Amino acid sequence: MTDLVETPDGRAHVLAGLGGMGKSTVALRVAEVALAQGRRVWWVRGLDGSSLASALLGLAQVLGADAGAVEAARAGRTDPSDVVWGRLEAHRGWVLVIDNADDLELLEVAGRPVGDGNGWVRGSRAGLVVVTSRDGDMRHWGRGVELHPVGWLSDEDGGRVLLDLAPRAGDRAEAEALSARLGGLALALHHAGSQLSSPFSAEQSFARYRAALEAGFAALLGPPGAVDDREVVTRTWEVSLEQLAGGGVPQARELLGVLAWFAGAVPIPVEGLDREVLGRVCRYAGPAGVGVGLEALVSVGLIETSTSAGDAASGQQSGRGRVMMHPLVAETIRHQFGAGDAGRLTASVAVDLLAAATGELDAQDPGDWPTWSAWLPHLEELLSTASTLVEEASLVTLANAAADAALTLVWAGSYAAALAVAEAGLHSTRRLGAEHRATIELRNREADAHNFLGHAAEAERLYRDVLQARERVLGTDHPNTLATRHEIARMVAKQGDAAEAERLYRDVLQARERVLGTDHPDTLGTRHEIARTVAKQGDAAEAERLYRDVLHVEEQVLGTDHPQTLATRYEIARMVAEQGDAAEGERLFRDVLHVEERVLGTDHPSTLATRHEIARMVTEQGDAAEAERLYRDVLQARERVLGTDHPNTLTTRHEIARIVAEQGDAAEAERLYRDVLQARERVLGTDHPNTLTTRHEIARIVAEQGDAAEAERLYRDVLQARERVLGTDHPSTRITARSLRALTEPTDEAADE
């Protein structure tokens, strides 16, 4: 199959067989070959329909899908598979692995069966699609799929596997006999060979291991060939666990039970396996028994240290300090522990492990973002599997972890992913009730995501619901209540009412200074936003003064590289430029960009905002051609990261139209402006200041093309709207008034003559 990496044949390829046969191992080999060739590889788990859809839509966004289209797909308004495949077909030379897609109903889209070939699983010549599944019925997969059965190893091949793992455990005939007794199942052979080579093993030969199977698990084994894949694997690890217990490591069973709640085949950072937490399942050994227990599980092959190829295929950073478990083992152990006391205990410990590993992370610190990225698949797995089992205290912990993850994703600029995590958290922890603090926090994170996705009206609605709940539950002066009031003011400002936003912010500032103090980061955040509203109302000099006052404190309290400090430096550069010094503005913006690219990354929305402003500074200094090139680079990145309808993307499109006009192509500029206007009216509304700016520019372009009457009509409409929305003294209103006078005064003079 590896030859298909370079030359895909237009079909999807399904590796079919029982669990533990080595399907994922074959897929991983394909992924390794692709990675070695420098190709992009995506590894998606097919165990859960919602997780599958979320992962694939996330992939679509990485490949440049419009954020609005992704949101519509998540909401069920459009076909999500079309969104994903539209982007996959636009790129070449990739490999997509959908692992453990055992339930084909989870692969259906809009009620269409997999065999139709127009859902998640499609053939392509742009890249290679590999699916691993227990379903080997060709009638279910359809004609667009090639099926590759992955069956039992022959006795001879299975014997070679055992001899490779445990070369001193016996001769070839004994190895082949044990392979036959294990049904040639690759995972079972791996476990058996690892056990025989382990220092914890009581059985040191193939023959004695086979005798132990027969004597201890005769009922489980049944007659040869009469058991399924789960039973075959279960009997091998039961031998291992029994022997570990007999060798003084009984805690291995419970430790394995805890790790089974995390995502199978996804590396778990070892530094996050808190020994005090895990010690709760280590019986009399306590925390001191954790290391011994984990080492014992590794030695018998029940958990594995991750390989760099496995990490890469799973989308994780490679590293020595990670362990993972085969998905079949995790699934079966969870089922084995069940919903009884053992299941509840191990699930709650897994939740507490996640909380201990992520609880001290700072959402605003880019250095902590990779750690959250490593734990995010495990959070999603716990939300999906453990949330129905754990007691309320653990459910609260899980909800809080989801809220923390969503906040981190917002700061990292992954707004659609933040929304997906918040919504998953709300769904999985809904038995806490709407008035629970953890639920309210998740609702607030949902509003945050809508805010940064550019949905100001929806975010304001959600924030106001959160505010009512927080005032009832926490009180009016609680810091979280004040944070929600702050965000409501921000949404009012985003929808164009800067004066009302300033009034709301100043009320919040008064309360925050009283409750939190004048130097608290939240207080500084409100002072920052007040400066922004002052700027929006036309007083750039006063706004600059306010920003510089905030910056002085932020550099002392937060540090020079903190994202909030960088945001204030960005705004100071903008105010300097607003007052006419484009060269100094460009210098300040480039200083900010240098730090943002190092701290936040080149594709972070804040970094792209700074690049946009540098293009504007180049425009102001007269180099229209270079400015257009810079703007188009920013537009491409913003469409990929934020989507085509995001307000920031529309701002860049507006500026490109302006640059086209400055280079003399008025007709093309008008066309571009009208496209932007249509989008802004739909996204922001007809009275938003940005919408009015585009309408003003259309009037100007119409005038340049000689249609004075139509331009006058358009200017008068814009002036009337700006006077109503911004006031008669706002700089933007005065600009429209001057433009109208310049157009009409010559006509008036001619009439007087």
Side-chain angles (χ1 to χ4, degrees), residues 52-276:
L52 173 67
S54 179
L56 288 172
L57 285 171
L59 165 59
Q61 279 201 288
V62 168
L63 293 176
D66 172 46
V70 171
E71 182 186 356
R74 289 189 192 279
R77 297 192 298 272
T78 59
D79 186 332
S81 64
D82 285 344
V83 175
V84 173
W85 275 99
R87 300 313 306 162
L88 284 171
E89 291 290 2
H91 295 74
R92 303 194 69 81
W94 44 262
V95 172
L96 171 63
V97 179
I98 303 178
D99 195 25
N100 292 306
D102 299 328
D103 184 352
L104 267 60
E105 289 186 1
L106 300 180
L107 297 178
E108 294 181 1
V109 182
R112 299 191 302 270
V114 177
D116 287 358
N118 54 6
W120 292 128
V121 178
R122 307 184 187 185
S124 176
R125 293 190 182 276
L128 174 62
V129 178
V130 179
V131 184
T132 71
S133 177
R134 287 191 178 118
D135 192 324
D137 191 331
M138 192 62 200
R139 294 171 298 179
H140 297 164
W141 290 102
R143 289 178 296 178
V145 165
E146 182 173 351
L147 202 64
H148 303 268
V150 180
W152 296 270
L153 295 178
S154 67
D155 294 350
E156 182 181 18
D157 288 340
R160 280 199 291 267
V161 169
L162 289 170
L163 284 167
D164 286 343
L165 292 168
R168 296 182 179 84
D171 59 27
R172 182 175 301 279
E174 292 169 329
E176 291 178 1
L178 178 55
S179 174
R181 196 65 187 93
L182 292 175
L185 191 68
L187 184 58
L189 292 168
H190 173 72
H191 284 171
S194 299
Q195 169 68 23
L196 285 165
S197 64
S198 168
F200 294 96
S201 178
E203 314 299 341
Q204 296 294 318
S205 71
F206 298 132
R208 292 187 61 185
Y209 187 93
R210 188 158 73 96
L213 281 173
E214 299 286 358
F217 303 97
L220 176 62
L221 283 167
V227 293
D228 67 16
D229 50 332
R230 287 180 177 84
E231 290 176 310
V232 173
V233 177
T234 299
R235 67 196 183 190
T236 60
W237 81 53
E238 283 293 344
V239 169
S240 298
L241 292 172
E242 288 293 335
Q243 292 188 353
L244 291 177
V249 196
Q251 67 269 29
R253 181 182 297 275
E254 283 71 23
L255 289 170
L256 191 66
V258 172
L259 298 181
W261 290 102
F262 295 120
V266 177
I268 305 168
V270 170
E271 63 268 21
L273 299 181
D274 187 279
R275 298 197 176 204
E276 291 296 323

Side-chain angles (χ1 to χ4, degrees), residues 22 48 211 275 355 378 467 489 498 641:
D48 174 76
R275 298 197 176 204
H378 302 299
L467 179 63
V641 174

Side-chain angles (χ1 to χ4, degrees), residues 86 99 161 179 220 228 262 393 450 460 619 639 688 712 719 733:
D99 195 25
V161 169
S179 174
L220 176 62
D228 67 16
F262 295 120
H450 278 290
E460 182 184 352
T619 303
E639 287 181 333
H688 191 280
E712 179 182 349
L719 180 61
T733 308

